[in-house]
Structure formats: structure tokens, C-alpha cells
């Protein structure tokens, strides 16, 4: 079987937001899969805030995407030709397939996914990398204890919405911070105790009002001024989980540092960064825990699915920085 694959490649490194000239659409004929390989028709591509960082030619936790290389992306798809007994034709897989509509990969680099348990989009969201980030970030890095007070930013997104619901399932009081009244209403609908719309003014004062006793765990997805607002409202012994800082990912100049970092000293608090990939050996534990909560109705897995195929990738990526998503942002490939 010969298949033509189409890919989105990095044409040049962006400054600030990645505009359309950042990308190039290419096509290539794929050979038949070799021993141990599979040919995958990609169905869903995960759109992740971290993608912007992968475009910078700087030292990071993964090498930058090279000029001319296919854009890195986690994706799911269906096996359409196989030289691997573990991944037969018709089975569903997840892997680092990149922004492409067909790929040939070593079967061993893929995870099998079961569409009877959840949709492919959920396997990219609550049961995928964002769900694992929420689970290990909250419990291992945040060392959450039952009944504590948790504040999470980026709360209506893929990671944040799972963080808040996991904390609720442990009997915690949970405040979410998100952009806009619709997202805040949804957070309250899925069980958050309160939600703060950061676009409507003074987050520091609203936190003081909602959490007078202080925050035990602040799960930070956004950095910037919202991090400072949380620092101003800590309880003694608080843990800040440094998950991400999306507010600065497209900044052209280095953003100012946190102004209130002395709160870490005053409140004997800690702030710890982590990478979900370091927990890869324990993903089955996280998947089992979150799948059980979804099954019991205690956790709502939501995705925003945008169409347009791989040509829709440049716009979808800009969309995540504009906050078009509630839950996990996923691009479908026709
Ligand atoms: N450490 C790790 O291993 C790891 C793994 C996965 C993800 N992360 C990080 O976790 C964070 C959340 O990732 P995600 O995949 O769950 O994304 P997401 O929350 O689903 O989507 C990003 C959200 O960020 C918000 N946002 C955009 N610009 C913002 C700004 N300037 N200030 C405040 N909020 C802004 C938008 O929501 P609003 O409409 O609410 O603004 C948008 O929907 C990111 O920082 C990501 O890099 C880290």
C-alpha cells in the first residue's frame, strides 16, 4: 500500500506569536511499513501550550523542533498497515506522530488506546498527558492532603479542570481561576467551590475574600500576575506546583519575575517545578485513577475539538493562547 502523507513543518522560527509564515505544508510518499513498524492514519492531534516553547532555539527539556522538521505533536490514530503483531490493523494508537495525516512509526513507540473506555480525544486529554500532569503534579509535587484549600489557574483547561476535580474528589475546597464568565460558570457546574474570572479585575483581592485562611496548594499553569496574586494569599506550609507559565510563552522580551516571592519565606512555602514525562513509569496508576473517576461520574472529561485537518494547525495553535478551549484542545484530521 502506498500512501501520500501531508505534514506541517517548521519553516522559520517565530518571534512572538507564530504567524502563518512560521509553517510550511509538505507532502511525501510513504513506503510500506518495515518489520516492527505500523502505518497510522492520524485522527486527532493534541494542541499544547508547550508547542510554542519547542519552536525556540534554546536549551530546554527537549531539543527544539529543527527548521524543516515536522512539527512535534502527540496524536492518536488508527493502524492501517502493520508489521507488528501487538498493533494490528484497525487498532487505535497514541504516539508522538507530529502534525501529519499519515505516519510510519515503530510500534514500540506507541501506546495502545481503547476507544471502548474513552474517545480518542479523551485519551489526549484527561486520560492522556494533561491528565497525568494534573494527577502527579497535584499528588506527588503538591503533596495534597484531604480537606486542604487548592487554587488552580488555567482552571478551565485540560490540566486545570482535572486538577480541580481531583482535589474535589479528595474533599478539598477548590477555587479555579479562568478567563470569562462561561468558563467560570462551567467550573462551578463541575463542582469547583468558586471561580474567579481574571479578566474582571483584582485577583489578589478576590482570593483574599474567597480564601481568608490562605492557600495550601496553588497549582500554577499561567505564571505572571496571577502567580503574584496567589503568592499574596498563601497559608503557612503552602506548596506551589510550577506546572507552566502560559502568560509568557509568546513574550518577545523576558517577563518581570514574581514580585512577591518573599512570601515563600514568610509562609515557609515551597515552589517546585516538574515535568510529567518523569512520571512515565507510573502513568498506568494515573490512568486507572482518572478512568475510575470518569466512570463513577466524579470527573467530567471535556474536550474542545476543532476541525480543519492539518491545514487548521496554525490557527488552532494560536487559539490555545487566545483561550478558545474549554477542557482539552484537539484538532481533528479528516
Ligand atoms: N509541567 C508539565 O509537565 C506540563 C505538562 C502539560 C502542560 N503543562 C502546562 O500546563 C499549562 C496548562 O496546559 P494545558 O494543556 O492544560 O492548556 P489549557 O489550559 O487547556 O489551555 C491553555 C489555557 O491557558 C489560558 N491562557 C492563555 N493565555 C493566558 C494568559 N496570558 N494568562 C492566563 N491564562 C492564559 C487560556 O484559558 P483562559 O481562557 O482561562 O485564559 C487557555 O485556554 C500550560 O502552562 C502548559 O505549558 C505542563
Amino acid at each position: 500500500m502506498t500512501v501520500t502523507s501531508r505534514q506541517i513543518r517548521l519553516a522559520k522560527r517565530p518571534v512572538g506569536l507564530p504567524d502563518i509564515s512560521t509553517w510550511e505544508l509538505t507532502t511525501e510518499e510513504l513506503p510500506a511499513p518495515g518489520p516492527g513498524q505500523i502505518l497510522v492514519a492520524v485522527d486527532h492531534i493534541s494542541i499544547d501550550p508547550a508547542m510554542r516553547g519547542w519552536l525556540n532555539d534554546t536549551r530546554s527539556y527537549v531539543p527544539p523542533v529543527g527548521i524543516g522538521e515536522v512539527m512535534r505533536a502527540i496524536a492518536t490514530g488508527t493502524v492501517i498497515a502493520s508489521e507488528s503483531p501487538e498493533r494490528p490493523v484497525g487498532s487505535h494508537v497514541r504516539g508522538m506522530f507530529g502534525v501529519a495525516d499519515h505516519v510510519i512509526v515503530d510500534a514500540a513507540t506507541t501506546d495502545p488506546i481503547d476507544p471502548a473506555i474513552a474517545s480518542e480525544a479523551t485519551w489526549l486529554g484527561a486520560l492522556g498527558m494533561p491528565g497525568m500532569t494534573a494527577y502527579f503534579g497535584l499528588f506527588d509535587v503538591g503533596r495534597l492532603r484531604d480537606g486542604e484549600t487548592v487554587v488552580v489557574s488555567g482552571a478551565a483547561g485540560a490540566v486545570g479542570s482535572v486538577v480541580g476535580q481531583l482535589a474535589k474528589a479528595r474533599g478539598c475546597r477548590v477555587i479555579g481561576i479562568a478567563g470569562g464568565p462561561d468558563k467560570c460558570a462551567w467550573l462551578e457546574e463541575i463542582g469547583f467551590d468558586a471561580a474567579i474570572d481574571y479578566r474582571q479585575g483584582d485577583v489578589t483581592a478576590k482570593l483574599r475574600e474567597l480564601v481568608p485562611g490562605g492557600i495550601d496548594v496553588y497549582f500554577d499553569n499561567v505564571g505572571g500576575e496571577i502567580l503574584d496574586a496567589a503568592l499574596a494569599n498563601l497559608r503557612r506550609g503552602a506548596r506551589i506546583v510550577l506546572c507552566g507559565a502560559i502568560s509568557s510563552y509568546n513574550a518577545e522580551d523576558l517577563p518581570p519575575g514574581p514580585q512577591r516571592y518573599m512570601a515563600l519565606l514568610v509562609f515557609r512555602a515551597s515552589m517546585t517545578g516538574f515535568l510529567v514525562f518523569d512520571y512515565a513509569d507510573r502513568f498506568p496508576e494515573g490512568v486507572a485513577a482518572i478512568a475510575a473517576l470518569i466512570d463513577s461520574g466524579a470527573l467530567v472529561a471535556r474536550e474542545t475539538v476543532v476541525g480543519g485537518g492539518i491545514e487548521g494547525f496554525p490557527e488552532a495553535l494560536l487559539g490555545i493562547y487566545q483561550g478558545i478551549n474549554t477542557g482539552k484542545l484537539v484538532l481533528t484530521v479528516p
Side-chain angles (χ1 to χ4, degrees):
M1 181 196 294
T2 323
V3 166
T4 304
S5 171
R6 298 157 69 249
Q7 313 91 16
I8 296 285
R9 293 176 187 269
L10 179 64
K12 65 170 209 218
R13 299 205 181 280
V15 177
L17 283 166
D19 67 15
I20 195 72
S21 67
T22 309
W23 311 108
E24 183 190 10
L25 177 69
T26 56
T27 57
E28 67 183 23
E29 295 294 310
L30 296 181
Q37 292 187 322
I38 51 177
L39 171 59
V40 179
V42 174
D43 301 320
H44 296 91
I45 295 174
S46 174
I47 306 294
D48 289 294
M51 285 172 153
R52 180 63 188 82
W54 300 341
L55 304 179
N56 294 334
D57 193 8
T58 49
R59 206 168 138 248
S60 188
Y61 58 92
V62 283
V65 177
I67 303 291
E69 285 179 7
V70 175
M71 178 57 190
R72 181 183 293 137
I74 304 173
T76 55
T78 310
V79 178
I80 57 171
S82 176
E83 292 297 329
S84 159
E86 285 83 30
R87 305 281 186 273
V89 169
S91 63
H92 294 263
V93 288
R94 182 181 58 197
M96 201 58 95
F97 300 151
V99 182
D101 59 8
H102 291 84
V103 287
I104 287 186
V105 288
D106 287 334
T109 65
T110 67
D111 307 313
I113 55 171
D114 185 351
I117 295 177
S119 68
E120 282 194 9
T122 299
W123 281 108
L124 291 175
L127 294 180
M129 187 271 287
M132 298 307 99
T133 304
Y135 182 87
F136 293 105
L138 189 61
F139 296 130
D140 272 61
V141 185
R143 305 186 312 279
L144 184 71
R145 293 185 285 265
D146 293 356
E148 288 192 319
T149 295
V150 177
V151 173
V152 54
S153 55
V159 175
S161 60
V162 176
V163 166
Q165 295 181 89
L166 287 173
K168 280 311 297 177
R170 292 283 290 267
C172 294
R173 180 167 150 72
V174 180
I175 313 298
I177 304 172
D182 292 347
K183 290 190 182 188
C184 289
W186 179 65
L187 292 176
E188 291 179 6
E189 207 177 286
I190 61 171
F192 282 57
D193 295 283
I196 298 172
D197 179 355
Y198 70 88
R199 294 188 188 138
Q200 296 299 316
D202 191 343
V203 177
T204 307
K206 286 192 179 133
L207 280 174
R208 189 160 302 135
E209 201 179 291
L210 286 166
V211 190
I215 302 167
D216 295 304
V217 173
Y218 172 55
F219 195 107
D220 190 18
N221 285 316
V222 306
E225 290 174 9
I226 297 176
L227 168 59
D228 267 316
L231 280 164
N233 283 283
L234 298 182
R235 199 205 302 268
R236 185 170 170 162
R239 285 86 67 203
I240 296 181
V241 180
L242 171 46
C243 178
I246 194 171
S247 67
S248 66
Y249 289 176
N250 291 287
E252 293 182 25
D253 300 312
L254 268 185
Q259 293 179 352
R260 294 182 186 272
Y261 77 98
M262 280 297 284
L264 298 175
L265 179 153
V266 172
F267 295 102
R268 288 75 147 180
S270 64
M271 180 162 170
T272 310
F274 78 106
L275 270 176
V276 65
F277 305 110
D278 294 340
Y279 291 88
D281 290 352
R282 291 178 56 200
F283 283 178
E285 169 196 333
V287 169
I290 294 174
L293 290 171
I294 294 173
D295 204 40
S296 72
L299 191 147
V300 175
R302 179 164 171 178
E303 298 90 28
T304 297
V305 180
V306 294
I310 61 166
E311 292 93 333
F313 171 75
E315 198 183 326
L317 182 61
L318 291 177
I320 203 153
Y321 305 114
Q322 293 153 359
I324 62 164
N325 58 308
T326 301
K328 172 72 201 152
L329 183 59
V330 173
L331 175 68
T332 54
V333 180

